[in-house]
Amino acid sequence: MSDASLLNDPDFRVPGASRGLFDVFRHRYLLTLLLKKGVATRYHGSVLGWVWSYVRPGAQFLMYYLVIGVILQADHGMQFFPVYLFAGIVAVNLFSETLRNTTNAVVDNASLIKKIYLPRELFPVAATGVALVHFLPQAALLLIVALLCGWTIGWLQIVAFVAGTIIIVLFALGLGLFFGAINVAYRDARNFVDLILMFSTWASPVLYVWNLVYDRAPLWLYHVYMSNPITGAVELFHDAFWLPLEPSMPRPDNFLTYVLIGLAVSLVTLVIGQLVFRKMEGSFAQSL
């Protein structure tokens, strides 16, 4: 067969050619292996192991609740402020772990990348999967707390929870692809990520209510604040777990519009991250 016919053959692919995130679906077996490796090595050599997935968010919640809810008494008149607080913490923790994992995914697998070729996007996607696996115990703990407080399940709560999770994962993966590619050549990228994560808890209604921003910030800044994907996701988690317990509490006007804007921002971030990742992935092996 001639070279020309080979190139026209739909089953022929140039070695090393990548189709971006679409290649992840073609290499599901490799993705499964990387996911199992990431989960298995997460707490390798640890005595408590998976218990840390419950201890860390529990300790984080206790610290914030004692300071915000007990010492400062800034519970905003909520009877179920612990559920409100814990729901926001779980949402932000998913964003933090996904972004941190994806940013370091390529560098952490340097030895493998330098030896063989496989779609580089497999590493950040697998890192996202690992973050989701370790998010489940936190979500289960949040569910148990909500049930003990009298929460009842409904389809709206399920939709809100799933939508919030999707927005967080898309946004964090997009940022992770962007900073993960830059991190290969410039290790300063992880410092930028640390700054983002430092502000993420305070740039969304986790420790306070959205009304404070509405009452004290300029209207344009409030719109920017509500269009932040993490703000929308945190509020969706509140709608899923806390609002059924306190349905009389006020909610943001045009909230669905803000959620759709946040979803659009997440998708645009994912596209930009993928484009930057594909542009730089050719030099990964040389830079690592």
Side-chain angles (χ1 to χ4, degrees):
M1 185 180 290
S2 65
D3 292 342
S5 14
L6 275 175
L7 292 175
N8 293 325
D9 186 347
D11 295 326
F12 176 79
R13 298 183 66 217
V14 177
S18 171
R19 291 188 292 186
L21 288 171
F22 294 105
D23 262 354
V24 172
F25 299 101
R26 297 184 68 254
H27 296 80
R28 291 186 293 273
Y29 179 69
L30 290 175
L31 178 62
T32 302
L33 291 179
L34 290 172
L35 181 57
K36 289 180 178 179
K37 169 181 170 289
V39 172
T41 58
R42 171 64 181 266
Y43 295 123
H44 178 70
S46 170
V47 176
L48 295 180
W50 277 81
V51 176
W52 286 113
S53 295
Y54 299 92
V55 171
R56 287 177 178 174
Q60 190 178 14
F61 159 75
L62 183 61
M63 176 186 66
Y64 282 134
Y65 179 69
L66 289 176
V67 174
I68 304 295
V70 177
I71 297 177
L72 298 180
Q73 296 184 346
D75 56 6
H76 313 288
M78 297 181 193
Q79 181 182 356
F80 296 98
F81 180 68
V83 178
Y84 179 93
L85 180 62
F86 195 32
I89 289 173
V90 169
V92 170
N93 280 354
L94 174 60
F95 172 71
S96 300
E97 181 160 0
T98 304
L99 180 53
R100 185 175 286 111
N101 287 0
T102 50
T103 299
N104 296 323
V106 176
V107 174
D108 289 346
N109 291 277
S111 58
L112 188 57
I113 290 175
K114 289 188 288 187
K115 289 178 182 177
I116 60 172
Y117 175 79
L118 65 164
R120 312 307 193 198
E121 286 83 1
L122 281 170
F123 299 106
V125 172
T128 301
V130 173
L132 281 171
V133 169
H134 290 282
F135 159 73
L136 294 178
Q138 301 181 37
L141 190 59
L142 172 60
L143 176 61
I144 292 171
V145 171
L147 286 172
L148 291 175
C149 292
W151 180 84
T152 55
I153 192 170
W155 70 270
L156 285 176
Q157 286 79 39
I158 296 174
V159 170
F161 172 73
V162 172
T165 302
I166 290 174
I167 290 174
I168 291 172
V169 169
L170 291 177
F171 188 49
L173 178 58
L175 290 174
L177 287 169
F178 179 82
F179 286 109
I182 296 177
N183 190 45
V184 175
Y186 307 102
R187 297 298 191 268
D188 304 271
R190 67 182 63 182
N191 295 320
F192 281 104
V193 168
D194 288 339
L195 288 176
I196 293 174
L197 297 181
M198 182 176 66
F199 285 107
S200 60
T201 302
W202 300 96
S204 51
V206 176
L207 309 178
Y208 56 89
V209 293
W210 62 272
N211 314 58
L212 296 178
V213 180
Y214 180 80
D215 293 337
R216 303 178 185 183
L219 188 59
W220 67 268
L221 183 58
Y222 169 75
H223 290 317
V224 172
Y225 170 81
M226 290 301 301
S227 299
N228 171 18
I230 304 304
T231 297
V234 167
E235 284 298 300
L236 284 171
F237 272 57
H238 287 155
D239 285 356
F241 295 99
W242 163 76
L243 189 60
L245 299 173
E246 298 191 78
S248 61
M249 296 298 289
R251 304 303 291 143
D253 293 331
N254 304 313
F255 178 55
L256 181 58
T257 302
Y258 291 124
V259 169
L260 293 176
I261 293 174
L263 177 60
V265 171
S266 299
L267 291 172
V268 170
T269 303
L270 182 62
V271 171
I272 294 175
Q274 168 68 113
L275 292 175
V276 172
F277 193 92
R278 289 196 66 183
K279 184 176 180 61
M280 300 184 66
E281 67 175 335
S283 61
F284 283 175
Q286 293 88 343
S287 300
L288 288 170

